[in-house]
Amino acid sequence: LTDLDLHRPYVDNITFPNPNGRGGTMRRVPEVIDVWFDSGAMPVAQWGYPAHNGEMFEEQFPADYICEAVDQTRGWFYTLHAISSMVFEQVSFKNVICLGHILDAKGEKMSKSKGNVIDPYEVFNAHGADAFRWYLFTSGPPGEPRRFSVDLVGEVISRFWLTLWNTYSFFINYANLDGWTPNSPQPPVAERDLLDQFVLSELHLLVKNVTEAFDRYDVPGATRPVEQFVDMLSNWYVRLSRRRFWKSGSDADKQGAYATLYECLVTVSKLIAPTMPFLADALYRNLVVEVDPKAPMSVHLALFPESNPALINETLIREMRLVEKLVSLGRAARESVRMGVRQPLADARFAVREARESGVIDRFADLIKSELNVKAVGSLNNASDVVNYKLNPLQSLLGKKLRADFPKVQKWMRDDAPQSDKRRWAEALLTGANAVVELDGQRYELLPEEVQVTREAAEGYAVADDGGYLAALDTRLTPDLVDEGLAREVVRRVQSLRKDADFKIEDRIVVKYQAGDRLKQAITRFAAYISAETLADALEEGEVNGDQGYTHAVYQPDPNGDPKKDTSINGETLALSVKRT
């Protein structure tokens, strides 16, 4: 029997068949309450209150929060408050998350008639329920409508899920190799490497921020920062710490790296437990339950992590973020001249906005050198040493102001003035001051918005700048630098061949090679470096083939000249074969 049947005024009696063969009659009563009343009465009806469960009702009412779509504002949300106000003179719930509608990939409302409805089980089967949840949590504030497609959920896998899982896999591989467990010695945080102290500062700041976001029912605020942290953990901390895990022995530095990464992974598993429950439990069970029989058997039975304010070093976080920015600028400078990071360079210098920031460059010099593959780093006191300035007075703004004098002023500033004058004017304009130009006995004062200022690298330098920060890399190559760059390319090819041969990370190998004179010179000079990086017990020149257990490959130019298929090293052919010792 439908609501429509009951509300038709001309229906007083409805006769219907009885399963036993006897007919029956339902009589309509004239008093029909709002159909939403039963939903609004849910807080009391679920407990049978006031006849039953008085204590339970008092503990649970009013509810901490309620969550439904926007179309419930006139239905359930309103009726709950209306009945509660009349009966108890108070609200029915303290917080509400009101969800916007889900749209298709084109931003149109999903509709069966349009055929743009997505079966959620297709998404579950393709990417899993965790990725589905995470996309909905991170794609925007809950109250806003959001686009949805299988592909958008798939991006969660590549952007976040795989990044976290690969970081976990990296830790597990090396921890098992070294026999490290949470019961192994753990140096005090204050005695660990600055990278460890930095990432733990970020971790405990993350715990603080995510906890506060959950308390505010701020869904993106409780999820997006976790994604950013995991990206930093993988692409900054782990990448910079790899050699600490790779090295032989088990000193305090290595123990500190293991302890730090372990704490980060366990804490992240707890932070994502409410939002990515399956992945969180898999990580937690493998990292904690497998090594601690006294631990809760599931992450969902463990306590939520608590932030330790003593481990949050705001100064270190600020300094390391500056280092990340400078390294990013250094990489951008390399890309501007298409010079890969495997080619060592002599020097990188940086211009910063504040004098105190120069000290950060000195303190983290080794890290910056390693990341940018340069031999030296330092501060740049005068950017004009590595850049040339171009100035272009804008006719749209200065034409009416200078009138007939505009063409000669424009030509002078753009083409004919000495570079020293251009630097002086440019530096003034870039700091917001006016540029004073004297020409043919006339004095012209130009405002910053009236002149376009651009910077280009001086000869022998690659430059990138952003927001008042500048990185300048010396791109002039000596024969020694060229040879080292070639050696690094050889290392990459050997590592690739190790992977193709399915060697374990700890396997020692023998390497045979054939190369031209130039490449052979580099291999000979840097044989010790190549052997150490690839775990090669022998690096021999000789015939390369697949005999006697060797895996071999030839890296050479593409015969058709296709650069995408060119595997050579600067145009030189290299043949390699590897086998386990």
Side-chain angles (χ1 to χ4, degrees):
L1 202 63
T2 66
D3 290 339
L4 178 62
D5 292 329
L6 291 175
H7 284 80
R8 285 186 298 187
Y10 54 83
V11 175
D12 290 322
N13 301 301
I14 299 176
T15 301
F16 54 91
N18 185 284
N20 297 323
R22 294 173 297 175
T25 301
M26 176 179 288
R27 298 187 179 280
R28 179 184 185 277
V29 295
E31 301 84 3
V32 179
I33 199 167
D34 187 293
V35 294
W36 280 101
F37 176 82
D38 56 346
S39 295
M42 179 275 294
V44 293
Q46 69 175 337
W47 302 116
Y49 181 82
H52 308 286
N53 301 316
E55 287 188 18
M56 187 70 72
F57 173 77
E58 295 293 341
E59 290 177 4
Q60 300 287 334
F61 186 84
D64 287 328
Y65 92 104
I66 190 171
C67 177
E68 269 289 354
V70 65
D71 49 0
Q72 293 290 355
T73 50
R74 288 196 312 115
W76 195 24
F77 296 161
Y78 165 74
T79 314
L80 282 166
H81 275 337
I83 293 175
S84 179
S85 298
M86 287 187 291
V87 178
F88 301 106
E89 297 185 352
Q90 68 178 90
V91 297
S92 182
F93 50 87
K94 302 173 185 176
N95 299 280
V96 59
I97 297 180
C98 191
L99 303 176
H101 288 134
I102 296 179
L103 312 176
D104 68 9
K106 297 180 181 179
E108 297 180 2
K109 185 177 180 180
M110 290 189 184
S111 168
K112 291 181 180 178
S113 62
K114 292 181 180 180
N116 61 348
V117 175
I118 296 175
D119 183 348
Y121 286 95
E122 292 181 7
V123 185
F124 298 156
N125 293 334
H127 302 300
D130 271 354
F132 195 165
R133 289 188 185 90
W134 193 262
Y135 170 72
L136 293 176
F137 291 143
T138 58
S139 60
E144 297 296 322
R146 70 203 60 215
R147 297 188 180 191
F148 184 89
S149 73
V150 177
D151 291 339
L152 290 173
V153 176
E155 291 177 7
V156 171
I157 299 295
S158 58
R159 186 183 66 244
F160 175 59
W161 197 100
L162 282 177
T163 303
L164 178 54
W165 189 261
N166 289 339
T167 305
Y168 157 78
S169 297
F170 173 89
F171 171 81
I172 290 298
N173 285 337
Y174 284 95
N176 287 337
L177 184 63
D178 285 330
W180 188 91
T181 73
N183 295 322
S184 299
Q186 298 189 17
V189 173
E191 298 176 10
R192 298 184 197 176
D193 187 274
L194 280 178
L195 266 175
D196 298 335
Q197 296 181 41
F198 158 71
V199 79
L200 289 175
S201 292
E202 289 276 25
L203 178 70
H204 285 269
L205 182 61
L206 175 72
V207 172
K208 175 178 179 291
N209 292 337
V210 168
T211 303
E212 291 175 353
F214 272 128
D215 289 342
R216 297 192 306 269
Y217 299 92
D218 176 4
V219 178
T223 51
R224 288 179 180 174
V226 178
E227 193 167 297
Q228 295 163 4
F229 176 83
V230 168
D231 180 73
M232 180 276 297
L233 183 68
S234 172
N235 296 312
W236 185 253
Y237 175 77
V238 170
R239 186 163 52 77
L240 294 179
S241 300
R242 275 180 178 163
R243 292 187 180 278
R244 301 167 65 198
F245 294 97
W246 289 346
K247 65 184 178 181
S248 59
S250 185
D251 57 11
D253 180 54
K254 193 173 191 178
Q255 296 288 346
Y258 275 124
T260 299
L261 186 52
Y262 179 79
E263 181 177 348
C264 289
L265 289 169
V266 172
T267 303
V268 167
S269 75
K270 294 178 179 180
L271 290 177
I272 65 173
T275 49
M276 227 177 200
F278 295 118
L279 176 60
D281 211 32
L283 294 174
Y284 175 84
R285 285 172 180 265
N286 291 338
L287 290 168
V288 179
V289 177
E290 288 292 325
V291 296
D292 183 2
K294 296 181 180 179
M297 65 180 294
S298 168
V299 70
H300 306 296
L301 300 176
L303 294 176
F304 199 73
E306 294 185 5
S307 174
N308 183 350
L311 294 181
I312 301 177
N313 186 333
E314 297 280 3
T315 300
L316 181 57
I317 291 175
R318 183 174 60 251
E319 291 181 346
M320 191 64 77
R321 288 178 180 175
L322 172 61
V323 172
E324 289 184 74
K325 183 175 186 63
L326 297 181
V327 167
S328 177
L329 285 175
R331 289 180 184 150
R334 275 184 173 272
E335 291 173 4
S336 70
V337 293
R338 299 183 180 277
M339 187 168 283
V341 75
R342 275 184 290 277
Q343 174 57 61
L345 298 177
D347 180 70
R349 288 185 286 165
F350 302 93
V352 292
R353 293 193 300 194
E354 301 177 27
R356 64 181 175 86
E357 293 176 327
S358 296
V360 176
I361 298 172
D362 296 333
R363 280 194 294 280
F364 293 93
D366 289 341
L367 188 156
I368 298 172
K369 285 190 291 185
S370 174
E371 276 296 277
L372 294 180
N373 193 13
V374 296
K375 301 301 181 183
V377 298
S379 298
L380 190 63
N381 297 323
N382 190 349
S384 62
D385 293 341
V386 296
V387 298
N388 293 323
Y389 293 99
K390 288 188 174 182
L391 297 97
N392 182 35
L394 301 173
Q395 185 175 7
S396 59
L397 298 175
L398 281 171
K400 293 182 179 179
K401 178 178 177 179
L402 301 184
R403 298 184 181 276
D405 289 342
F406 174 77
K408 70 175 183 180
V409 172
Q410 184 187 51
K411 186 175 186 303
W412 173 251
M413 295 185 70
R414 189 166 57 186
D415 303 321
D416 301 334
Q419 185 61 222
S420 57
D421 286 348
K422 291 182 180 181
R423 289 175 180 172
R424 176 167 51 83
W425 297 329
E427 289 169 357
L429 293 167
L430 289 172
T431 58
N434 298 341
V436 178
V437 179
E438 295 183 2
L439 181 62
D440 296 338
Q442 295 289 324
R443 187 175 184 275
Y444 305 95
E445 189 166 355
L446 280 62
L447 305 179
E449 60 268 24
E450 295 172 336
V451 182
Q452 181 185 36
V453 181
T454 57
R455 294 191 281 201
E456 64 179 18
E459 185 176 358
Y461 286 92
V463 172
D465 64 306
D466 178 57
Y469 296 96
L470 181 143
L473 276 62
D474 187 342
T475 58
R476 294 166 293 188
L477 298 178
T478 65
D480 287 346
L481 291 173
V482 172
D483 280 353
E484 186 177 345
L486 294 174
R488 287 175 176 264
E489 292 289 350
V490 171
V491 167
R492 183 170 78 89
R493 303 311 198 281
V494 175
Q495 300 289 36
S496 176
L497 203 52
R498 282 183 63 110
K499 184 177 180 180
D500 293 342
D502 199 26
F503 291 167
K504 297 179 181 178
I505 56 176
E506 70 271 22
D507 284 343
R508 308 293 301 186
I509 63 172
V510 172
V511 179
K512 286 187 177 182
Y513 70 91
Q514 288 176 287
D517 292 341
R518 185 70 185 84
L519 192 52
K520 183 166 63 175
Q521 173 185 309
I523 294 174
T524 302
R525 290 190 60 190
F526 289 92
Y529 164 76
I530 295 171
S531 297
E533 291 292 304
T534 60
L535 298 183
D537 290 331
L539 181 61
E540 306 166 350
E541 184 181 8
E543 184 178 355
V544 170
N545 53 50
D547 296 339
Q548 298 176 340
Y550 279 94
T551 300
H552 74 284
V554 179
Y555 304 95
Q556 58 190 352
D558 180 67
N560 298 318
D562 186 347
K564 293 182 179 179
K565 297 180 181 179
D566 185 345
T567 59
S568 68
I569 299 179
N570 292 358
E572 294 195 47
T573 298
L574 172 68
L576 287 173
S577 63
V578 299
K579 75 171 183 178
R580 292 186 181 93
T581 55

